[in-house]
Amino acid sequence: MRCIAKFRKKIFVAGLLLLLAMLVGCQQSEQSSSTPAETSGNNEVNESAGDFPSKEIRMVVNYNVGGVVDLTARALAESIGKNDLLSQPIVVTNVPGSGTVDGLSQVKDANPDGHFLTLHQTAFSTGYHMGILPWNFDQFETIAQVAETPVYAVVREDAPWQTLEDLLNDMRDRPGEVTVGVVALGSITHFAYEMLAEAAGVEGQIIATGAPEQLSGIVGGPIDVVFSSVNQFFNEHNNGTVRILGIGSTERLDIVPDVPTFIESGYDIEATMRLGVFGPQGMSDDVIATLSSAIKQAVESEDFLKFAEESGVQVVYREKEEFEAVLHEDDEIIKRIAENIQQNQQK
């Protein structure tokens, strides 16, 4: 009897252990087959390209509605949606304020699963080196370049200067007297002027106008010349309201074919605002590749090319590595110019 009791006890224990093993195995199987929960903050989420995107993508624009960055972001989002390049829509959200800090901080602190992005521009470097931004582009995930828009020098139609050299000669004769409008101190328009002023050996009186006020400031205001990237000036130039004396692109633009580049005028300067898509650090290579592919197809689409032609934006697609290389090249120039600006401000 004792032997039978011991035998039954052994069977019971063995059965109990088998049942526990089966329960543990089922639990592990369920965990491995389920989608990982999203995490907050900058913790990496292992979302594969096959799962991405699993919800709508938020694209932050760090400026008000209607500017070139905003219009480009909306054209990009519309093209991706219209051509079914991603399984979920891109929703553009404007978060202006604090010199782009407000919007960029939201992106930097977002979950790096690819669902929270920004379309931003060269202001990363200019803002960082002028002490406006606490981060440069290399503290975000670079995804792809979308476009470029050059900075150009604009005067009133009745201004005495017919060419860029006319303006610069006058500025040499009257140092500090010609008023120069830039969007903001530390903006790419400010840097474009400083680059040209350094190369030409001239000095002007800088006035920060804000983008919406640039046209009124030059047409009826106290500003002699504006350095701008606002596409409205292209139409005003063609209508005869203003005259664009020079442009910071490497080649002339089809929308204003009569305007020479700074390079043609004898100054080896490329002054261009580069627009691209960025995300929080920690995004997976698969998700970046998925986004980059969709962006490439979008900017090459007929509707985006039409937008670019009508707005004076140059379509320039660069994938992650190439875009980062160009940004680093720009950053070296911007850093040097920023040091010169800050030294002059201390005098």
Side-chain angles (χ1 to χ4, degrees):
M1 294 291 292
R2 288 179 184 175
C3 292
I4 293 174
K6 289 181 180 180
F7 183 73
R8 288 176 176 173
K9 186 175 180 180
K10 289 180 180 180
I11 293 176
F12 173 79
V13 171
L16 181 60
L17 291 174
L18 179 61
L19 178 61
L20 288 172
M22 291 173 64
L23 289 173
V24 171
C26 290
Q27 185 178 18
Q28 290 176 341
S29 177
E30 289 175 359
Q31 288 177 344
S32 63
S33 62
S34 61
T35 302
E38 292 187 357
T39 59
S40 59
N42 245 355
N43 297 319
E44 187 170 353
V45 176
N46 297 317
E47 181 162 2
S48 69
D51 300 325
F52 176 81
S54 58
K55 59 184 178 181
E56 72 177 24
I57 297 171
R58 183 73 57 85
M59 180 174 286
V60 170
V61 170
N62 307 291
Y63 305 94
N64 290 314
V65 174
V68 65
V69 179
D70 175 70
L71 294 175
T72 303
R74 294 181 186 279
L76 178 66
E78 183 179 347
S79 178
I80 287 175
K82 180 179 178 181
N83 295 289
D84 296 322
L85 301 178
L86 290 172
S87 60
Q88 297 286 339
I90 294 180
V91 178
V92 175
T93 304
N94 298 82
V95 187
S98 303
T100 73
V101 171
D102 290 351
L104 288 176
S105 64
Q106 290 188 19
V107 178
K108 189 175 188 300
D109 295 336
N111 192 319
D113 60 2
H115 293 96
F116 210 100
L117 310 171
T118 183
L119 190 136
H120 201 41
Q121 42 105 343
T122 311
F124 256 134
S125 287
T126 59
Y128 177 74
H129 290 296
M130 288 297 291
I132 299 168
L133 274 179
W135 332 279
N136 206 340
F137 65 89
D138 55 5
Q139 291 174 271
F140 290 74
E141 202 73 68
T142 304
I143 297 170
Q145 181 174 347
V146 173
E148 296 179 352
T149 180
V151 178
Y152 35 86
V154 190
V155 298
R156 285 184 292 275
E157 186 276 332
D158 61 353
W161 313 292
Q162 297 299 315
T163 66
L164 183 65
E165 197 57 32
D166 289 343
L167 169 66
L168 296 174
N169 284 333
D170 190 23
M171 293 180 74
R172 292 187 189 98
D173 294 337
R174 299 186 297 129
E177 294 185 30
V178 175
T179 53
V180 179
V182 299
V183 169
L185 297 179
S187 66
I188 184 60
T189 59
H190 182 198
F191 274 73
Y193 162 69
E194 294 287 353
M195 291 165 65
L196 186 60
E198 179 186 63
V202 302
E203 179 184 349
Q205 180 183 341
I206 298 175
I207 299 175
T209 62
E213 294 79 18
Q214 281 204 308
L215 182 59
S216 60
I218 193 172
V219 172
I223 299 174
D224 295 318
V225 56
V226 159
F227 281 74
S228 181
S229 58
V230 179
N231 52 22
Q232 182 180 4
F233 279 112
F234 292 136
N235 292 332
E236 300 298 334
H237 171 86
N238 291 331
N239 293 335
T241 307
V242 301
R243 185 160 56 248
I244 302 178
L245 299 181
I247 196 160
S249 53
T250 56
E251 298 178 353
R252 294 195 184 197
L253 300 187
D254 291 339
I255 196 170
V256 283
D258 58 321
V259 178
T261 65
F262 293 159
I263 297 172
E264 288 180 87
S265 299
Y267 301 96
D268 189 16
I269 293 170
E270 181 185 3
T272 301
M273 181 172 69
R274 308 192 199 277
L275 293 86
V277 179
F278 302 83
Q281 282 189 334
M283 295 172 59
S284 73
D285 292 342
D286 285 345
V287 169
I288 292 173
T290 298
L291 286 168
S292 185
S293 176
I295 291 167
K296 183 178 189 296
Q297 295 175 75
V299 300
E300 292 174 350
S301 67
E302 183 178 347
D303 47 318
F304 192 90
L305 292 173
K306 182 180 179 181
F307 153 76
E309 181 182 0
E310 293 175 349
S311 62
V313 171
Q314 298 174 287
V315 176
V316 179
Y317 170 81
R318 290 186 173 103
E319 62 183 13
K320 179 181 175 66
E321 290 77 13
E322 184 183 4
F323 188 24
E324 285 179 344
V326 172
L327 290 173
H328 280 290
E329 291 176 5
D330 289 348
D331 192 68
E332 289 298 315
I333 298 171
I334 288 168
K335 180 181 179 181
R336 181 181 61 79
I337 296 296
E339 290 171 351
N340 292 343
I341 294 172
Q342 290 162 346
Q343 288 174 1
N344 291 333
Q345 289 175 341
Q346 294 171 0
K347 292 180 181 179

